[in-house]
Amino acid sequence: KPCMKLLLVTQNVDRTDPILGFFHQWIEEFANRTQDVTVIGQQVGEHSFQSNVVVESLEKEKGRRLWAQVFRSYQLFWKHRNNYDVVMVHMTPIWIIIGAPLWILLRKRMYLWYEVKRGSWKLTIAMRLVRKVFAATEHGIPHASKKLVVVGHGIDTDLFAKSVTHSEGPVVTLGRITRIKNYDVILRCFAELPQELKLFIAGGTVTDSDKAEEQRLQSLADELGIADRVEYSWVAPDKVPSILQGASLFLHASQGGLDKAILQAMSCGCPCVSSSIAAQEELPVQCRSSESTMAVASKALLEMPQEDRKDLSDELHDIVDTRHSLPNCIDRLVVEMKGK
């Protein structure tokens, strides 16, 4: 175990959070590979870690405003200054900008994990300040950079275990209901699939624009005559594996960076069809589609003989296990941050 002492800054430390619950496992894996881990979350909920992990909250869950969170962040960065020599900020480049003056003074090495195709001024500035920016694929940041290190997505392939029961069950897609997920493409595809199938969108809304998007999708489902066959609902993180293990097909059209959802489905051995540019090179050829060919590709997978489906399941799981497993990802991050 290297003697690295790590500070992680993240949005939410809560294993029940439907979007960020996965990060709890990342923290556990980091704790297994480093001397100490200090975690500062903007908000903190349910968690449980080994003894070398300290968790602090910026108390967003108590209604603390952003300026007050920033003030508290400086107190905590200073209070724990002897407990870390390396900082990794997860997904929120603004915290690099906020913490950098102090971290530069204290000579702490700064790194950023980022996986969104969309750029921002915050990302541009943060990338100048950090030594490296980590992403799951080269699609993880909006433009090429010498600082980019591709480490794969950290998928727990034991939790998202391969299942052989993908012949029955609903068609599933997974993730928050936002424009970037292109759920309208999925609804149009689903409308062309056999009548007896049901579609489960395992996700819900967070912002007002998400709610508007959900209404737009419900109107589209009405128009397509499939409203009675489509269900939307948030799913607790611990229920996601069994939903993917029981699905007959996973549909995916997100156009951000490489989405964890498609990799989780692949890890479960679920037949997948994706029109996402970032997902194309991760998928076997029969699982790739454009937005207009998604229904054709989906029908072909649904009609595939059982033996071929089993081979495809094995192949999908193995791709994730090789390129995107959680232990490999965290090993790589630790090596990269220990290096320089």
Side-chain angles (χ1 to χ4, degrees):
K1 191 191 271 196
C3 56
M4 188 166 88
K5 296 190 288 185
L6 178 63
L7 171 65
L8 292 172
V9 182
T10 186
Q11 293 155 286
N12 194 355
V13 183
D14 183 352
R15 62 175 156 210
T16 68
D17 183 276
I19 298 171
L20 292 164
F22 75 90
F23 199 68
H24 192 282
Q25 286 165 286
W26 281 44
I27 297 166
E28 289 170 42
E29 294 286 338
F30 275 122
N32 291 336
R33 290 165 175 75
T34 56
Q35 184 181 324
D36 292 304
V37 181
T38 306
V39 188
I40 297 177
Q42 275 187 271
Q43 59 189 66
V44 170
E46 192 182 304
H47 65 275
S48 159
F49 297 113
Q50 50 265 65
S51 59
N52 64 333
V53 179
V54 172
V55 178
E56 298 268 23
S57 178
L58 300 182
E59 299 181 345
K60 185 179 175 183
E61 73 276 8
K62 294 181 181 172
R64 198 182 264 257
R65 294 216 172 130
L66 189 57
W67 65 266
Q69 289 176 47
V70 171
F71 180 70
R72 182 164 165 76
S73 75
Y74 273 115
Q75 290 178 312
L76 294 173
F77 297 157
W78 179 256
K79 173 186 163 187
H80 291 284
R81 66 191 180 280
N82 296 324
N83 303 333
Y84 64 93
D85 40 43
V86 172
V87 179
M88 189 181 98
V89 171
H90 179 251
M91 285 301 291
T92 43
I94 189 68
W95 290 106
I96 291 283
I97 299 167
I98 290 163
L102 181 61
W103 293 328
I104 290 166
L105 192 69
L106 294 171
R107 300 185 139 172
K108 307 296 185 187
R109 302 198 300 276
M110 293 178 284
Y111 301 90
L112 174 67
W113 166 278
Y114 198 75
E115 182 64 36
V116 179
K117 191 66 185 150
R118 213 170 42 247
S120 69
W121 63 268
K122 291 171 275 200
L123 178 64
T124 305
I125 296 170
M127 282 184 67
R128 294 202 170 152
L129 295 166
V130 298
R131 294 183 179 221
K132 297 172 186 173
V133 57
F134 303 118
T137 68
E138 63 271 20
H139 300 278
I141 59 170
H143 41 75
S145 165
K146 285 183 183 151
K147 290 186 176 180
L148 176 64
V149 180
V150 173
V151 294
H153 251 311
I155 305 297
D156 185 338
T157 53
D158 292 335
L159 180 67
F160 290 93
K162 188 173 64 191
S163 142
V164 288
T165 56
H166 293 290
S167 46
E168 309 288 308
V171 176
V172 170
T173 188
L174 172 66
R176 180 177 149 194
I177 293 173
T178 63
R179 260 304 155 95
I180 201 165
K181 298 288 187 191
N182 286 328
Y183 284 132
D184 54 334
V185 173
I186 288 172
L187 289 177
R188 287 194 175 90
C189 163
F190 180 71
E192 294 184 49
L193 300 184
Q195 292 287 314
E196 67 274 11
L197 289 170
K198 297 251 190 285
L199 173 65
F200 181 42
I201 298 177
T205 58
V206 177
T207 64
D208 288 341
S209 65
D210 295 353
K211 292 187 178 79
E213 178 65 2
E214 187 175 43
Q215 286 178 327
R216 190 176 80 90
L217 294 171
Q218 285 166 342
S219 304
L220 177 62
D222 274 337
E223 219 175 282
L224 294 166
I226 56 172
D228 57 335
R229 292 161 54 211
V230 182
E231 188 192 336
Y232 314 75
S233 163
W234 274 125
V235 174
D238 59 346
K239 301 282 190 294
V240 171
S242 61
I243 283 165
L244 296 174
Q245 285 155 353
S248 57
L249 182 67
F250 185 85
L251 296 179
H252 179 254
S254 177
Q255 290 302 354
L258 179 61
D259 200 354
K260 265 195 329 301
I262 181 85
L263 296 173
Q264 290 169 342
M266 289 165 68
S267 184
C268 291
C270 183
C272 300
V273 176
S274 177
S275 60
S276 160
I277 293 158
Q280 296 301 300
E281 60 224 48
E282 305 295 326
L283 287 163
V285 66
Q286 65 267 49
C287 298
R288 301 174 198 170
S289 77
S290 64
E291 294 185 353
S292 58
T293 62
M294 188 178 268
V296 175
S298 298
K299 281 178 194 162
L301 290 193
L302 289 167
E303 289 162 10
M304 199 181 247
Q306 199 56 42
E307 195 51 43
D308 294 350
R309 280 171 79 84
K310 188 188 172 307
D311 291 345
L312 178 63
S313 281
D314 291 346
E315 186 181 355
L316 290 166
H317 177 82
D318 291 346
I319 289 168
V320 180
D321 204 32
T322 307
R323 299 184 203 166
H324 294 283
S325 76
L326 182 59
N328 290 353
C329 175
I330 305 295
D331 281 343
R332 185 77 197 279
L333 288 169
V334 169
V335 167
E336 290 288 344
M337 290 191 284
K338 205 176 58 170
K340 54 180 193 280

